[in-house]
């Protein structure tokens, strides 16, 4: 029997622990960002990395969706490349392209360019979370990092890639170089999460954007050990969510990282995911494109996700990937209200 959480407690944290929350909690990946007019205004004239290093701006952007939507958790506004830029990698987020690395990582000598992250490298993270602590009240903050496989892929490819061919070739031809890069990144990610938790984050999410490009065998061999290591740094301290895109074939393998909550993308119904991961807390998984549809089909799909989520030990409502830039904030508010209205116990 799952314990019922007290009504005064955060529904998000209760669900993370597999308890019965007072209502199904809702938050959205990329809720702080491109779809919000107030975000565009706040970010005007500031590069992405500069924004991520400005505590007052990070605090403001993180708070915007909490104020607007009444979501049950805030996601720390950052970018997956922030910690690797902090250790001295020459990486730039090019608008309309994504992260671009000046000198890609391809050899054993390149591994030495990845030093360990020290909390002193990211003082702006601790400061921003301190500011958020005063603003958020009882709303929990989720810390955030990119998974080693996705980060390594950016470093090896030199930027975004459709086929990850250079990454896969390096994994096969020079596995020792691959594992050296990935294990250093796991240490950097783990420390980046730890800094956020020590500053006050109440949960963390490890985001593996590109893991879906791997077969299950390759994931287990080349990615799973490093994601496990990254998440181990905050084990026993806060609930850990692990999410990947296009990773339906990897659900079981990704759950072996030790993360208490499995994020499910929109390609797999939650009740199917629940059968494959019995006793697991699930997060997800409305198709982000549903937000662009009319109100009636949007609410019907929202209800269907809530219904499918009942098959899990506990369910955190989210999208099955990030909020699309063209999303209408009013539609996102509609979804939050619908989930809260139909699930309040």
């Amino acid at each position: 029997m799952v314990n019922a959480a007290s009504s005064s407690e955060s529904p998000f944290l209760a669900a993370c622990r597999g308890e019965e929350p007072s209502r199904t909690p809702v938050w959205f990946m990329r809720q702080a960002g491109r779809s919000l007019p107030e975000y565009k205004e706040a970010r005007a004239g500031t590069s992405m990395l500069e924004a991520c290093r400005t505590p007052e701006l990070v605090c403001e952007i993180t708070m915007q969706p909490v104020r607007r939507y009444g979501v049950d958790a805030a996601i720390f506004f950052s970018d997956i490349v922030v910690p690797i830029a902090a250790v001295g990698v020459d990486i730039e987020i090019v608008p309309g392209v994504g992260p671009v690395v000046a000198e890609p990582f391809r050899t054993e000598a390149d591994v030495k360019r990845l030093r360990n992250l020290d909390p002193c490298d990211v003082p702006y993270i601790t400061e921003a979370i301190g500011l958020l602590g005063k603003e958020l009240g009882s709303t929990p903050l989720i810390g955030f990092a990119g998974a080693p496989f996705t980060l390594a892929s950016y470093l090896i490819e030199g930027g975004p890639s459709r086929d990850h061919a250079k990454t896969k070739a390096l994994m096969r031809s020079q596995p020792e170089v691959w594992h050296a890069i990935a294990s250093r990144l796991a240490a950097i990610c783990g420390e980046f999460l730890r800094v956020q938790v020590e500053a006050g984050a109440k949960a963390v999410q490890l985001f593996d954007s590109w893991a879906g490009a791997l077969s299950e065998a390759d994931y287990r061999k080349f990615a799973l050990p490093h994601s496990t290591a990254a998440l181990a740094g905050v084990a026993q301290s806060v609930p850990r969510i692990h999410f990947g895109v296009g990773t339906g074939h990897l659900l079981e393998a990704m759950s072996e990282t030790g993360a208490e909550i499995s994020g499910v993308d929109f390609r797999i119904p939650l009740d199917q995911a629940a059968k494959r991961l019995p006793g697991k807390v699930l997060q997800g998984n409305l198709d982000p494109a549903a937000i662009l549809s009319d109100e009636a089909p949007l609410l019907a799909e929202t209800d269907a996700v809530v219904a499918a989520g009942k098959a899990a030990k506990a369910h955190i409502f989210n999208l099955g990937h990030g909020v699309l830039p063209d999303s209408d904030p009013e539609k996102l508010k509609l979804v939050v209200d619908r989930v809260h209205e139909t699930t309040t116990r």
Side-chain angles (χ1 to χ4, degrees):
M1 177 75 183
V2 237
N3 297 325
S6 71
S7 57
S8 61
E9 201 202 1
S10 155
F12 170 75
L13 292 175
C16 283
R17 290 195 301 269
E19 296 169 2
E20 187 178 296
S22 55
R23 64 188 184 205
T24 298
V26 190
W27 71 279
F28 303 118
M29 289 178 277
R30 293 201 191 126
Q31 63 187 18
R34 305 168 295 178
S35 62
L36 291 176
E38 55 265 43
Y39 167 80
K40 291 169 191 164
E41 194 181 324
R43 268 277 323 270
T46 310
S47 74
M48 182 64 180
L49 279 174
E50 191 185 337
C52 293
R53 293 173 184 141
T54 308
E56 296 77 13
L57 195 50
V58 170
C59 178
E60 167 59 23
I61 292 169
T62 303
M63 286 303 302
Q64 286 173 349
V66 179
R67 294 187 204 116
R68 188 187 263 268
Y69 303 135
V71 284
D72 295 291
I75 179 76
F76 187 65
F77 175 72
S78 188
D79 188 273
I80 62 171
V81 303
V82 166
I84 50 178
V87 300
V89 174
D90 188 351
I91 190 163
E92 186 187 349
I93 301 172
V94 178
V97 178
V100 174
V101 181
E103 294 175 51
F105 286 58
R106 309 269 166 80
T107 67
E108 208 168 327
D110 290 328
V111 178
K112 299 187 178 94
R113 291 158 54 197
L114 285 171
R115 65 169 174 81
N116 287 338
L117 180 75
D118 188 283
C120 302
D121 296 320
V122 286
Y124 41 86
I125 300 291
T126 304
E127 191 180 332
I129 294 176
L131 295 173
L132 280 162
K134 297 169 192 164
E135 296 270 341
L136 278 167
S138 61
T139 304
L141 177 68
I142 304 169
F144 166 80
F149 172 75
T150 292
L151 290 175
S153 297
Y154 274 114
L155 295 184
I156 292 160
E157 302 287 340
S161 166
R162 287 191 175 182
D163 52 22
H164 315 287
K166 293 183 178 73
T167 304
K168 291 180 176 184
L170 183 79
M171 287 188 323
R172 289 176 168 86
S173 304
Q174 300 182 74
E176 66 294 335
V177 174
W178 164 263
H179 286 298
I181 290 172
S183 64
R184 292 217 178 185
L185 288 169
I188 291 167
C189 294
E191 184 62 15
F192 192 60
L193 290 174
R194 199 180 64 76
V195 166
Q196 293 172 72
V197 169
E198 291 203 345
K202 298 289 189 273
V204 297
Q205 173 160 297
L206 190 69
F207 191 88
D208 212 345
S209 320
W210 290 358
L214 295 173
S215 68
E216 185 183 348
D218 282 347
Y219 177 82
R220 287 182 178 281
K221 186 174 180 182
F222 296 112
L224 177 58
H226 305 295
S227 289
T228 303
L231 284 165
V234 288
Q236 277 82 55
S237 54
V238 294
R240 300 164 297 168
I241 308 163
H242 194 20
F243 174 77
V245 183
T247 49
H249 61 300
L250 302 176
L251 274 183
E252 291 86 352
M254 288 178 74
S255 77
E256 291 170 25
T257 56
E260 288 77 15
I261 301 102
S262 289
V264 182
D265 86 358
F266 60 90
R267 296 166 181 86
I268 299 227
L270 284 178
D271 49 357
Q272 282 184 28
K275 277 183 191 158
R276 289 170 57 188
L277 300 173
K280 194 84 175 179
V281 178
L282 299 183
Q283 176 179 282
N285 74 340
L286 183 71
D287 186 339
I291 303 295
L292 308 181
S293 62
D294 293 339
E295 187 173 311
L298 171 59
L299 291 177
E301 276 196 56
T302 299
D303 291 346
V305 170
V306 169
K310 289 184 172 137
K313 182 180 184 181
H315 175 215
I316 298 161
F317 190 101
N318 205 311
L319 301 182
H321 195 193
V323 173
L324 297 170
D326 294 337
S327 301
D328 177 356
E330 291 305 313
K331 295 275 185 63
L332 288 160
K333 177 78 169 88
L334 194 68
V335 170
V336 174
D337 291 346
R338 178 68 158 214
V339 175
H340 286 167
E341 283 161 14
T342 57
T343 65
T344 296
R345 295 173 178 90

